[in-house]
Amino acid sequence: MKRPFRIAVTGAAGSISNSLLFRLAAGEVFGTDQPIILQLIERSEAMEALRGLAMELEDCAFPLLHAVRLHDNPEDGFRNVHFAFLIGAKPRGPGMERADLLAANAEIFSRQGRALNDHANPDVKVLVVGNPANTNALIASRNAPDLSPSQFTAMSRLDHNRAKGMIANRTGFNTADIRKVAVWGNHSASQFPDVRNAEAMGEPIWPGLDHDWVDNTFIPRVQKRGAEIIDARGQSSAASAAQGAIDHMRDWYMGTPEGDFVSMCIVSDGSYGIAKGIVFSFPVRCRYGRYQIVQGLPIDDAAQKRLDATEKELLEEKDAVKHLLPAETEDAHNNLSVSLRSGANRYGEEDRDDDSEACVLRTDRVI
Ligand code: NAX
């Protein structure tokens, strides 16, 4: 039998995790022959709710789920993990300015970056979902001097899937037939959902699309889809966000389909003239657990303006948290070359403290 992967999830008692965890345990990300150990992390106030969720996981009797561990701190929670979903974040409170939100989350993600650096498996793959996701990922990465910046990513896959869904709806094709959609930039209203290179059943769709519809309906609707969902259901996207996280990690680990690409927020290596050292959503292809930016896509003047706007926003966010970005990691982030490299997969294991109090489910004991 394969050795279990250790998977950390922060914000594990929250809405997105509620959808994500059961599907992780069912094998939807790492395959139906890959056992997993879940290391769930929450704020101390939410530990009781997390315990309830862990009971439900146990009650599903998932064959692949070997252990569930509950933690109220990232240092214990990230021990030896191979994959980390950073979902928990501080939400915007009443009267909170954008800068306050950035600062509050910067503290959370700098601690989590240090904890990943010190305790996770050296090849850990990190996906940041908690908002502001791109800058949170940058902060975590900058605080992890022993890990490669290419191990830290943020989620634009929900935006990518939203774009694909809307194009499928518009054109009448099945989403499986739509390829080469891209989302560029920040996971925010400044993002650029780009369908100029998209294909349906191998044929370009751009010539047949109404470009006014693209500019005035499609792009703003993808950009503001989160708000549209909150208006309709009174709560933010949860199941679709979990789907985005599943797709992101699965494709990173298993590879992207031949002839297609996906969108991932990664540390920029300067491709397409984007400033180095910010976490920016690019079209990427994945193989061997690594990713590479798709090069050579045409960028016209209108597209360039959109890239500039979202890059500017990310540079401003970076500036607002610059005091939390240690100087020692600046060079590594400014001299990155992203080419199918996020480190080799070395999933060395240590099962040192599985008998501790934190372990609430364990079915992989030697008996
Ligand atoms: P919930 O409020 O339901 O859950 C968040 C959970 O995180 C709570 O249980 C809270 O106790 C926990 N938490 C907060 N700080 C923590 C910390 N320091 N350590 C561990 N746990 C912590 O939010 P949910 O709907 O699950 O959304 C989570 C995050 O995803 C939010 O920041 C949200 O803005 C963001 N989103 C990001 C998306 C993306 O595409 N990148 C889309 C969906 C979502 O809006």
Side-chain angles (χ1 to χ4, degrees):
M1 192 209 278
K2 289 181 169 178
R3 295 194 70 119
F5 284 168
R6 288 176 180 270
I7 300 158
V9 178
T10 73
S15 308
I16 296 175
S17 300
N18 247 290
S19 289
L20 173 69
L21 292 172
F22 295 86
R23 299 180 62 192
L24 266 175
E28 286 192 41
V29 179
F30 303 107
T32 48
D33 62 346
Q34 177 59 59
I36 62 166
I37 293 172
L38 287 175
Q39 302 189 183
L40 307 182
I41 305 165
E42 255 299 343
R43 295 176 307 132
S44 20
E45 302 88 303
M47 290 309 282
E48 205 41 38
L50 187 59
R51 229 178 297 285
L53 188 86
M55 285 187 240
E56 284 213 72
L57 282 165
E58 185 176 347
D59 294 350
C60 292
F62 287 117
L64 295 173
L65 184 57
H66 278 213
V68 178
R69 302 165 54 78
L70 310 184
H71 301 280
D72 65 1
N73 69 84
E75 290 76 18
D76 292 333
F78 289 151
R79 187 156 301 148
N80 299 326
V81 296
H82 308 108
F83 298 89
F85 294 80
L86 309 192
I87 299 176
K90 198 170 174 63
R92 190 187 287 241
M96 212 174 180
E97 296 296 327
R98 190 151 153 263
D100 301 331
L101 183 73
L102 279 163
N105 278 294
E107 276 171 38
I108 294 173
F109 284 85
S110 53
R111 178 176 170 189
Q112 292 184 354
R114 281 194 298 276
L116 284 162
N117 187 72
D118 295 346
H119 302 286
N121 182 290
D123 296 312
V124 64
K125 289 180 168 48
V126 183
L127 167 61
V128 176
V129 174
N131 277 324
N134 297 53
T135 297
N136 288 343
L138 177 65
I139 290 164
S141 181
R142 288 289 301 267
N143 281 276
D146 303 328
L147 301 177
S148 162
S150 60
Q151 290 171 257
F152 288 83
T153 65
M155 189 164 92
S156 52
R157 186 57 178 268
L158 173 55
D159 309 298
H160 179 100
N161 288 348
R162 284 167 171 165
K164 213 177 198 185
M166 282 183 211
I167 288 295
N169 191 6
R170 175 81 181 180
T171 58
F173 285 95
N174 187 284
T175 50
D177 301 326
I178 311 266
R179 296 189 154 195
K180 300 188 179 171
V181 167
V183 170
W184 303 84
N186 200 1
H187 168 67
S188 76
S190 76
Q191 68 181 261
F192 172 32
D194 178 9
V195 289
R196 291 161 311 141
N197 303 291
E199 296 173 354
M201 300 188 98
E203 299 292 328
I205 62 167
W206 185 245
L209 278 179
D210 172 352
H211 297 178
D212 277 346
W213 174 82
V214 172
D215 284 344
N216 300 316
T217 305
F218 168 74
I219 291 177
R221 196 149 181 229
V222 176
Q223 289 171 329
K224 296 181 195 141
R225 182 66 154 190
E228 191 182 347
I229 286 171
I230 293 174
D231 285 348
R233 72 190 286 265
Q235 289 172 1
S236 59
S237 325
S240 55
Q243 181 65 46
I246 287 168
D247 289 342
H248 178 116
M249 248 346 169
R250 186 202 55 232
D251 287 350
W252 189 359
Y253 173 64
M254 302 268 203
T256 40
E258 211 45 58
D260 200 2
F261 47 71
V262 297
S263 306
M264 284 169 67
C265 304
I266 58 177
V267 174
S268 167
D269 66 350
S271 293
Y272 293 94
I274 301 301
K276 293 182 180 186
I278 53 174
V279 172
F280 193 93
S281 180
F282 286 101
V284 299
R285 288 192 193 95
C286 307
R287 286 280 180 283
Y288 326 116
R290 304 168 203 171
Y291 54 77
Q292 176 170 284
I293 297 173
V294 177
Q295 299 291 345
L297 297 175
I299 304 289
D300 60 18
D301 286 351
Q304 188 62 50
K305 276 202 188 92
R306 292 189 187 275
L307 292 188
D308 292 347
T310 194
E311 176 194 39
K312 179 167 174 277
E313 184 180 60
L314 281 166
L315 287 167
E316 284 166 7
E317 288 187 14
K318 180 179 174 187
D319 194 53
V321 297
K322 58 175 187 265
H323 57 290
L324 282 157
L325 302 178
E328 66 168 311
T329 52
E330 190 163 356
D331 278 354
H333 285 72
N334 286 343
N335 294 306
L336 187 67
S337 141
V338 180
S339 57
L340 288 179
R341 62 180 282 273
S342 67
N345 291 319
R346 287 194 316 262
Y347 291 137
E349 262 301 319
E350 281 178 70
D351 288 339
R352 39 187 174 210
D353 57 0
D354 261 359
D355 290 323
S356 69
E357 286 272 294
C359 191
V360 293
L361 164 66
R362 181 159 173 209
T363 66
D364 60 349
R365 274 180 298 253
V366 178
I367 48 173

